[in-house]
Amino acid sequence: MQKSGSFFVFLISFAFSLYGQRSEESFNNGWEFLREEGTWEKVTLPHTARLESKVVVAQFQGDCVYRKSFFYHIRKNEKAFLHFEGVMMTAAVYLNGTWMGTHEGGYLPFTIDLSGELKNGKNVLEVRVNNVDHPQIPPGKPLKDLDFNYYGGIYRNVTLIKTNAIHITDAVQENKPASGGVFVNFNSFKASTASAKVLVHVKNESIDPANIRIETTITDGKGYSHRTISATQELAGYASKQIESDVQVAHAELWSPSHPFLYDMTIRVYNDNQLVDEQHLKVGIRFFELKEDGFYLNNEKYFLSGTNRHQEYPYIGYALSDEANWRDAVLIKNAGFNFVRLSHYPQSEAFLDACDELGLIVMNSLPGWQFMGDSTFQVNVKQNLRDMVRRDRNRTCVLFWENSLNETWMEKPFMAELNQILDQEFPFYSISASWIDDPSYDLFIPARQHGKAPDYWNPYQNGAKHILIAEYGDWEYYAQNAGFQQKSFADLKEEERTSRQLRSDGEKRLLQQATNFQEASNSNRKGATTIGEANWLMFDYNRGYSPDLESSGIADIFRIPKFSYDFYKSQVSPGNFTRDSRLASPNNIEIASYWSPDSPLDVTVFSNADEVALYLNDSLIGRQTPTVNELSDHLSQAPFVFHVGAFEAGTLMAVAFVDGKEVGLDRVSTATNPDGMDMEIDFAGIPIATDHMDVFFARVKILDHESLVSTAQNEVTFEIVKGKNVELIGENPVKAEAGIASILVRTTSFHDEIHLQATSPGLGTMVFILTPEK
């Protein structure tokens, strides 16, 4: 909820690097796994309860067990905690046969104190996991009726944390409003100096009293450093205390999507003069506000252009590596978005790390979709909200809290209590959001289809309240109450009108998807009170209630972009691109055509350039500015549409110009019969992890000379012919879809070369060599 007074906020990316008496050790390796009546197998985390088919039918639901043996040396005054980032959906933890605790809920972390049951020497840990439908655990709705799949297993990281008996606590574990762990909020920004309160919750789990002081240091990596030391306070044995310090940053460099600058913060805890705990954090400074005329970031009016993301990969469900989560964030950023809504649940810490560092504003969301349960369910929703805020309250990227249940009817007292909880847990400036236009919320976030065609939410007025279109471009076309502004829409068949288009559905239908998103985005921007939009959605995904892929993604489930992806890329001016070696070039140009005899003769080019020249077989078709019409007159950049008089096999070439200078080009050539192939690994700017589990896609493109054969369905067989700790996951052999065959590769470590071979009848064999970075 919004607060009166200062709206300056300081947020933190919790990428912990720990020193002193604290250590963190990955606990992802060396597990055994048993699913119901199966046999024990060796696994590495993150792990899914069962590999599923690309199109999930009858997803596994049931019981499974994870078991790990490990040796431990008990030290005096040492505490040991096991931190689980996410287990779907209930997890009962046992150590050496003793029950240590049970956690319900699959999207938020929990921590187990192992200290009292650890043995000197060998220990056995067991985690009993169940993911069956549970109407009292959010999202609550039975999987067979749910618009997404929630999969199963220990699908996020597990970490063994060792601390001194005197230590900084974990915010979620402590379960104290606006307390526990570290809580930092900058409440003043004057003459370029930012000032903050740093709250550190320290617990003494020894019998002896302690004299505690906190030292906080912030640096910018360029030579600036500021250190603050709190007054010494006495902390009794078996007691805890929150200690407050003041921190200042002179000449503060502010975080934004185009300049996601982060500082380094180190917090040290001393007992007398002995260092007993230390945490290292990445921190960003920015301030934001909903004003009468819109949303402001760092005192500049800002339009939020974004997308929705489900955290699903083919075959492995939610069990993505940290690097895979980063690659998704890179793809979202490269699409030109500055905003992402976490539909419809809190997502991984690695993904939020990436949003902090790459500059993606986040709307954090409670688990829920079209379901309201009993009183116990509602209690669990409220606890989910508390845990979500405690986990992410210090995130640089999180500016919006969807502290409501998506598309679920909620009674007024329930909504009021959710907002009271947000106020209590985050007693600073915040923006709460709901799909219900209730006065207890700061921001109204309906889907476009919830409005009435043809204007939808453009006429919205409710005092000074603003609106963000949280979903658009899919259902309103699927339900056929949109699209009638398009000249050829009435002549299209039902399956041709929709935005739900697989890459294999062909050029014309993929162009229609791009047109739908373009039209809807253009319409959204006409609303006087609209501060932003999030399309539905980024990646194709599975749903519990339907045995097919929901294909309105602007990239497919293998993360291969469709034409719509190129449309969104064109909406960002080169000057607003984030300068980061992991991201794409700021100048982009893409021809939205396969240039075949069946291709439209009106050729669309998506580019953020001033002008584009189009050539066919080196003959100039035209050089022009963007084509502005009723479907593009409110966009940041309209597409370039060229009319080609007649089809002629060969090469289309588009050249982009900014201020009269050539800045980029794209070529598309007519392809007929496959005569070769090419293999690539999709790193998305993020190298393969060397010392822990990673997953990434290998692709084979079916070519006619050097041109992709978009209609090719050739069968490709992948094989690891050399390599350690690597496996292939998915259909194999696999049939190419729209000329590309994809398979998932999983490594548990990467220290030696991997030789990946692909074979296709009539096209031969090729080998791709992956070499670890030295």
Side-chain angles (χ1 to χ4, degrees), residues 247-265:
V247 171
Q248 290 188 329
V249 179
H251 308 292
E253 205 161 337
L254 300 181
W255 181 97
S256 70
S258 59
H259 184 67
F261 187 81
L262 298 173
Y263 289 85
D264 293 309
M265 176 179 278

Side-chain angles (χ1 to χ4, degrees), residues 149-171:
N149 286 61
Y150 49 71
Y151 300 100
I154 306 179
Y155 73 94
R156 290 181 184 162
N157 298 316
V158 179
T159 304
L160 177 64
I161 302 172
K162 301 175 186 177
T163 72
N164 192 283
I166 302 170
H167 58 273
I168 300 171
T169 60
D170 176 88

Side-chain angles (χ1 to χ4, degrees), residues 3 11 14 40 47 90 173 229 262 270 278 311-312 331 333 362-363 370 437 458 537 575 600 608 615 622 668 697:
K3 300 289 181 184
L11 291 174
F14 275 78
W40 287 99
H47 180 261
T90 62
Q173 184 185 22
I229 301 175
L262 298 173
Y270 290 89
E278 180 173 351
Q311 62 176 16
E312 171 189 359
L331 287 168
K333 185 74 175 183
V362 167
M363 178 176 286
Q370 295 188 4
D437 192 10
N458 294 339
L537 81 163
N608 60 358
Y615 298 82
V668 173
F697 295 108

